Amino acid sequence: MLQEIQEFGSHAIEIYDYLMAGCDPRIKGYLLMQSPFPMTTILLCYLFFALYLGPRIMANRRPFQLKEAMIVYNFFLVALSLYIVYEFMMSGWATTYTWRCDIIDTSHSPQALRMVQVAWLFWFSKIIELMDTIFFVLRKKHSQITFLHIFHHSFMPWTWWWGASYAPGGIGSFHAMVNSSVHVVMYFYYGLSAAGPRFQKYLWWKKYMTAIQLTQFVLISLHATQYYFMDSCDYQFPVIIHLIWMYGTFFFVLFSNFWVQAYVKGKRLPKQNIKQCQNGTAVYTNGKTHENRNGINHGATMSNGSAHHENGSAHMGKMKKA
């Protein structure tokens, strides 16, 4: 038994050494890129906190407001995403790339090194975006922590670490540029949402956010699909193309399901409001309730023309007592 364990460990080390030997040496000097273990540890801690530790810590505590922190956070990501898009464009997509079979420039030219840098920056932005979920937990918006949310926030940084390590640039970086473009719009929306009710009149386009995300997955899949119809393409890591195609298709299905549940079946009304309606209590929310990923609920319960915000459990308790 001990010998088998030793043989397994020896084979595992050999596989690990083989995988690390294939990584691009130009990116190994960047933060957290020397080994996949620090990145994996961060993601495991994230999952542990989001799914277990955080909810237990907040179980008997009042939710944090964090309004100012969320405003700064969201608009910081707007600026970061804009910068990432610009760097991807200047590193090849708006200069030397053909938007078809674009291989990885493995040289040490300024433009090639610029692409390596923005590939790392895009990956690191996914680590920063784990704060989306932390805000949910601290504000006790547990309904927002769905399978789609958790899977997207953990799957993207884990897979992109390998993508940036092996293939920083070329045809495989298209989806990163598109994703960052979408995040400019997305986090701008969340920043306005966090800023307060006075900005509600500017947030009528929330429904189109999901449409924009669906469009990005269509573009990503179509761009990857053309690889299969080329007579020849010397892209160095075809497996990256296969994974990108599967990524675009899989997330298109997940976000399509969200679209159906949210906008076709109308399951966006909070359970509390549904119960109130069933008990004969009038609730006026201007026809809709606004929520965003940072946990801001912009629906207002109106009584005699004045808005009031109450804890869900306390409100239901008063109703029962009445």
Side-chain angles (χ1 to χ4, degrees):
M1 181 66 178
L2 181 60
Q3 184 178 358
E4 292 177 352
I5 294 175
Q6 290 176 340
E7 290 179 355
F8 176 80
S10 177
H11 288 312
I13 292 173
E14 289 178 2
I15 293 173
Y16 174 77
D17 289 340
Y18 174 78
L19 289 174
M20 296 308 298
C23 292
D24 194 314
R26 299 173 301 172
I27 206 169
K28 288 186 177 181
Y30 286 89
L31 181 65
L32 300 175
M33 299 305 294
Q34 293 76 29
S35 164
F37 293 116
M39 169 269 300
T40 304
T41 301
I42 291 173
L43 294 177
L44 289 176
C45 291
Y46 158 77
L47 291 172
F48 179 70
F49 180 84
L51 300 177
Y52 179 75
L53 182 61
R56 286 180 65 87
I57 292 175
M58 296 300 299
N60 298 317
R61 289 179 170 84
R62 291 184 177 181
F64 292 95
Q65 296 303 314
L66 304 175
K67 176 181 176 180
E68 292 77 12
M70 288 191 296
I71 293 174
V72 172
Y73 167 76
N74 284 310
F75 284 112
F76 167 75
L77 282 176
V78 170
L80 179 61
S81 299
L82 271 172
Y83 177 73
I84 290 173
V85 173
Y86 174 78
E87 285 298 297
F88 270 123
M89 297 293 286
M90 294 299 100
S91 298
W93 289 101
T95 53
T96 58
Y97 281 17
T98 66
W99 294 63
R100 287 183 55 78
C101 179
D102 297 302
I103 63 174
I104 303 165
D105 184 352
T106 58
S107 71
H108 284 77
S109 68
Q111 189 173 30
L113 294 177
R114 192 174 184 177
M115 178 62 81
V116 172
Q117 182 182 56
V118 72
W120 172 83
L121 187 58
F122 175 77
W123 170 79
F124 192 72
S125 72
K126 300 305 159 190
I127 299 297
I128 297 174
E129 289 168 14
L130 298 179
M131 285 300 300
D132 287 6
T133 316
I134 306 303
F135 281 128
F136 284 156
V137 172
L138 296 180
R139 302 192 74 250
K140 301 184 77 169
K141 300 295 181 180
H142 303 307
S143 62
Q144 302 283 356
I145 307 175
T146 62
F147 167 78
L148 174 58
H149 177 88
I150 290 292
F151 183 78
H152 180 69
H153 277 69
S154 55
F155 179 78
M156 271 292 290
W158 196 85
T159 54
W160 237 94
W161 187 94
W162 296 98
S165 294
Y166 277 87
I171 188 175
S173 63
F174 174 78
H175 77 286
M177 182 180 64
V178 173
N179 183 253
S180 295
S181 302
V182 171
H183 280 201
V184 172
V185 181
M186 188 175 71
Y187 282 105
F188 180 72
Y189 173 89
Y190 299 148
L192 288 180
S193 298
R198 65 183 182 276
F199 290 96
Q200 294 312 299
K201 59 184 178 180
Y202 303 113
L203 300 177
W204 52 267
W205 43 282
K206 175 179 178 165
K207 181 177 180 179
Y208 300 101
M209 287 296 304
T210 306
I212 292 172
Q213 290 176 320
L214 288 171
T215 302
Q216 86 165 306
F217 298 128
V218 171
L219 291 175
I220 289 169
S221 295
L222 287 177
H223 184 260
T225 299
Q226 67 176 334
Y227 173 81
Y228 302 108
F229 295 94
M230 295 178 185
D231 294 332
S232 64
C233 182
D234 296 327
Y235 181 69
Q236 295 93 322
F237 298 98
V239 66
I240 298 291
I241 303 299
H242 308 325
L243 290 174
I244 290 172
W245 188 91
M246 289 189 291
Y247 160 83
T249 304
F250 181 68
F251 277 104
F252 178 82
V253 172
L254 288 179
F255 275 82
S256 295
N257 179 66
F258 171 80
W259 175 279
V260 171
Q261 298 298 324
Y263 302 113
V264 178
K265 295 185 178 180
K267 294 184 178 180
R268 297 173 65 224
L269 186 65
K271 293 181 180 178
Q272 177 182 329
N273 288 359
I274 293 174
K275 290 180 180 178
Q276 289 173 346
C277 291
Q278 291 174 343
N279 289 334
T281 302
V283 178
Y284 301 90
T285 62
N286 295 324
K288 55 186 176 181
T289 298
H290 298 285
E291 294 182 7
N292 73 34
R293 290 170 53 198
N294 291 118
I296 300 294
N297 186 342
H298 302 287
T301 303
M302 305 299 293
S303 176
N304 296 325
S306 62
H308 63 277
H309 302 271
E310 299 182 66
N311 178 274
S313 59
H315 186 59
M316 293 303 294
K318 290 179 181 179
M319 288 178 60
K320 291 179 179 179
K321 185 176 179 180

